[in-house]
Amino acid sequence: MPVRVSEFSWQQTPAALFLSLPLRGVCVRDADVFCGESYLKVNFPPFLFEVFLYAPIDDGKSKAKIGNDTILFTLYKKEPVLWESLSMPGVDKEMMQRIREKSILQAQEKAKEATEAKAAAKREDQRYALGEMMKIEEEERKKIEDMKENERKKATRELEAWKECQKKADGQKRVQRKEKPLQGKQAEERGALKPQSLPRKAPPTRLPTRGRNWENIFSEKLKEDRVPAPRSAGSIQISFTPRVFPTALRESQVAEEEEWLHKQAEARRAMSTDLPEFSDLKEEEKNPDWLKDKGNKLFATENYLAAIDAYNLAIRLNRKIPVLYLNRAACHLKLKNLHKAIEDSSKALELLTPPVADNANARMKAHVRRGTAFCQLELYVEGLQDYEAALKIDPANTVVQNDAEKIRNIIQGTTLKSHD
């Protein structure tokens, strides 16, 4: 039975009450204080002090200071009046029990409200942080787009300037080509004028000879004029018909591929944005693809918890997209949440059906991540089964081959030790 303390002192004003309670040499860490509107208890084994207050107090503003082997209480009254006594008069055991239970219930309700308020504030802070991060990334994306647009405009201006220079150069070439025939004609006219003065100086007996030479001069000029100009350079484009070897109908997966495409289309339509919990989200936050990209960026910056939040919201919007479970499994692996990584990888494999070439890479990753989680849980046999399934999908993957060989060596070493 605890020893009840009756030695204490108290003073009051119309607004507050001051209570001093000695600890009787008990360690401060062992003192347990409980304060309600109408009930005050201090338990410091083997001593116990409790008082059923004369009138209600504001337990939220009231304070207790422990020091020098004394507890000093500052209790603020709800109504500014002087009390006739510290404790309530005429209190029997049943009334004491009711007051104790009521005070405990009130304290539990206040603690629950405080916990809920703290959780709501935490959620609001997370939402605010996510919104700020989205704003920063949106600004960075806009800067990148502006830079791209400026580079595009600069390249366009340079291209237009180059085209203008090419036009000018082509115009000059055309002018030069037109001037060359004129110069040739002028040279012919000068050559034709020179032989006309020869008959005056030459003797008449050589006229036939001069006539033959005259004909030779004109024939040589005609031959020079008939030489064609060089052909302009050009390019010939050659296209080859692709050689296609058709797959035999018995070996094709046309039906499976059509079923996979149909499932993918249904998954894209399976949105649940009409729920009340999504009413305060922005339009881009209701897009699972946008949330997936956001999670991928957060994963790349090693912010795995935020990436999981993004994938969680995307999955709540659409539960039929396998890549969301696959990426969330990678985050759980980084955080050592191995059982959750196994669950997400299994869910991704369940959605990646039927097995076709389009989803082969995703199925291989799902097997490897589930196998890695099994191995970290020291379930090497199950992990080896997943790695072998991944090798059936991609037999040429050397990384998966090496990891599977290491797991076989671990299993063989464990078996040898058990036999020894």
Side-chain angles (χ1 to χ4, degrees), residues 392-408:
K392 288 181 181 179
I393 299 170
D394 188 6
N397 195 317
T398 56
V399 177
V400 180
Q401 290 176 359
N402 294 335
D403 291 344
E405 187 62 28
K406 290 178 183 178
I407 298 170
R408 289 191 192 95

Side-chain angles (χ1 to χ4, degrees), residues 309-375:
D309 291 338
Y311 294 136
N312 287 342
L313 182 56
I315 289 171
R316 287 165 62 191
L317 289 168
N318 194 332
R319 300 180 181 274
K320 294 185 178 182
I321 302 177
V323 70
L324 298 176
Y325 296 94
L326 192 60
N327 292 356
R328 192 172 68 176
C331 295
H332 285 311
L333 270 179
K334 292 291 185 180
L335 296 173
K336 302 300 180 183
N337 299 331
L338 303 177
H339 291 90
K340 291 183 178 180
I342 292 171
E343 290 177 4
D344 282 344
S345 300
S346 301
K347 183 64 177 179
L349 287 170
E350 180 183 339
L351 294 173
L352 290 166
T353 54
V356 293
D358 288 343
N359 59 23
N361 189 35
R363 286 186 287 114
M364 188 269 291
K365 289 181 180 179
H367 280 297
V368 169
R369 287 171 188 172
R370 189 170 68 177
T372 302
F374 276 131
C375 290

Side-chain angles (χ1 to χ4, degrees), residues 71-116:
I71 302 179
L72 180 61
F73 292 96
T74 303
L75 309 177
Y76 294 96
K77 302 175 182 178
K78 285 193 172 182
E79 296 180 0
V81 295
L82 293 175
W83 293 359
E84 296 178 1
S85 63
L86 178 63
S87 61
M88 188 184 300
V91 180
D92 55 6
K93 289 184 177 181
E94 292 182 359
M95 189 173 180
M96 289 180 182
Q97 187 63 26
R98 286 197 303 271
I99 294 174
R100 288 192 192 100
E101 292 176 354
K102 182 180 178 182
S103 299
I104 291 171
L105 288 174
Q106 289 177 347
Q108 289 176 349
E109 289 177 357
K110 289 181 179 179
K112 184 179 179 181
E113 291 175 357
T115 303
E116 291 176 352

Side-chain angles (χ1 to χ4, degrees), residues 249-306:
L249 187 59
R250 65 179 180 276
E251 298 177 2
S252 67
Q253 291 184 325
V254 175
E256 290 82 354
E257 290 175 356
E258 289 180 354
E259 182 181 352
W260 168 250
L261 293 174
H262 181 67
K263 286 182 68 176
Q264 289 293 96
E266 285 186 349
R268 293 298 175 188
R269 291 194 295 269
M271 296 287 291
S272 55
T273 57
D274 298 334
L275 297 177
E277 57 185 307
F278 302 128
S279 59
D280 57 344
L281 294 179
K282 298 180 181 178
E283 286 301 323
E284 63 266 19
E285 294 176 358
K286 296 180 182 180
N287 187 352
D289 292 330
W290 185 87
L291 290 169
K292 176 179 73 67
D293 294 338
K294 179 66 63 179
N296 294 345
K297 292 179 182 178
L298 294 170
F299 182 88
T301 59
E302 299 183 1
N303 191 354
Y304 305 121
L305 290 174

Side-chain angles (χ1 to χ4, degrees), residues 232-245:
S232 60
S235 60
I236 300 174
Q237 295 183 357
I238 301 173
S239 60
F240 299 93
T241 303
R243 189 177 181 184
V244 179
F245 296 94

